[in-house]
Amino acid sequence: MHRRDRRIALSVSAALLAAPLLTACGSDAHPGAAAVVGGERIEVATLQAQVKDARDAQAASPQAAQLLQTSGDLSRRKLNGLIFDQVVDRVAEENGVTATRAELQQTRAAFVRQSGGEDRLAAVLLQEQGVAPDQIDDVVRRNVLMNKIAAKLGITETPEGQKKLTDVFTTASKSLNIDVNPRFGAWDDSQVQLATATSPWLRQISQDQGAAPGIAPAGT
C-alpha cells in the first residue's frame, strides 16, 4: 500500500466508563446479544472473549497493575470496535474497497518497523488501546480499509474532507439499524460510536505519514 494511503491514524479506544464486566445476557429484545448490527448479532460471549484476551495480556505485562487500573471499561471499548468494524465493512463494500492479504502483511510489517519491533508494537497497542496480541490483525485490517476508503473518496485533511468522511460513515451506520444492549449505552449514528465514547473515529487523519497505528491518544 502506498505511503499516502496510510493517512488515518486510528484510535481504537472507546468510552472509559465505570461498569462491571459482562456477566448477564443481552437486552430483552435480543437475549444474549450485546448488539445487533444489520441484522447480525454480536454475542455477549464474543465480547467477553475479546475482553478476556485483553485482560490476560494486561495481566502478563510487566506493567500489569498500571494497565489494569487505567484501561477503563474494556467491555464498551471492545463493543465499540466490533460495531465500528461492521460499519467500516459496509462502507468498504459500498465503495468496492477490499483489503488483500498482501496489503495486510505489508501494513503490519510497516507498523512493526515504525514501532521498533513486534514486541514494541504489541506493547503500545495493549497500553494505548487495550488490544491483545491476537487482536492486532483486526487493527491492521481496519487501518487498511479506512485508508483505502479515504483514498477512494478523495478525502483530504480539511474540514470539508472530514465532513464528507463522517457523512459517508453516518449514512452507512444508519443503514445498519444498530441496536445496542442498553447496559452498554446507545449507538450514535452521527458520531459513529457508542454515545458514551470519547474517541474520534473519523477525525484521526494524521499529517505524519509514518505514524504508528492508533497510538494517538483518545480525544486528539
Side-chain angles (χ1 to χ4, degrees):
M1 186 167 59
H2 297 296
R3 288 179 62 83
R4 65 182 178 82
D5 291 335
R6 294 201 297 271
R7 296 189 301 262
I8 298 177
L10 299 177
S11 179
V12 197
S13 57
L16 302 179
L17 302 177
L21 194 63
L22 304 173
T23 54
C25 356
S27 63
D28 291 338
H30 306 288
V36 178
V37 184
E40 298 294 327
R41 295 163 58 92
I42 297 176
E43 301 291 349
V44 168
T46 300
L47 188 52
Q48 286 178 322
Q50 285 223 348
V51 172
K52 183 179 185 302
D53 282 349
R55 289 300 188 200
D56 287 348
Q58 289 174 336
S61 168
Q63 292 80 37
Q66 179 184 357
L67 291 175
L68 292 170
Q69 183 178 11
T70 61
S71 57
D73 181 12
L74 279 177
S75 300
R76 285 189 176 88
R77 180 180 296 197
K78 293 300 183 183
L79 181 57
N80 207 22
L82 288 168
I83 296 172
F84 184 72
D85 279 344
Q86 294 199 39
V87 179
V88 173
D89 286 345
R90 173 62 63 90
V91 176
E93 180 181 2
E94 291 176 345
N95 289 277
V97 169
T98 59
T100 67
R101 183 175 181 180
E103 288 171 333
L104 296 176
Q105 292 173 337
Q106 291 166 8
T107 300
R108 177 155 182 162
F111 289 164
V112 169
R113 290 194 301 272
Q114 293 157 12
S115 299
E118 187 76 44
D119 290 345
R120 176 58 181 161
L121 174 64
V124 169
L125 289 176
L126 180 64
Q127 178 179 356
E128 298 291 340
Q129 301 180 27
V131 174
D134 63 355
Q135 297 165 358
I136 293 176
D137 284 343
D138 295 332
V139 175
V140 172
R141 180 176 181 276
R142 184 184 304 126
N143 197 51
V144 170
L145 287 176
M146 287 196 67
N147 280 297
K148 292 185 72 173
I149 289 168
K152 182 71 175 288
L153 297 176
I155 300 299
T156 57
E157 193 174 347
T158 63
E160 294 77 13
Q162 294 294 317
K163 183 179 185 304
K164 180 178 179 181
L165 189 64
T166 300
D167 288 347
V168 168
F169 274 76
T170 292
T171 298
S173 181
K174 289 179 178 178
S175 74
L176 289 169
N177 298 314
I178 298 168
D179 179 18
V180 176
N181 185 322
R183 66 199 298 217
F184 305 115
W187 185 257
D188 185 341
D189 289 318
S190 65
Q191 297 297 316
V192 202
Q193 62 187 15
L194 286 171
T196 51
T198 58
S199 297
W201 293 105
L202 302 175
R203 296 188 294 277
Q204 292 295 334
I205 294 180
S206 172
Q207 293 183 3
D208 183 1
Q209 300 291 317
I215 59 174
T220 58

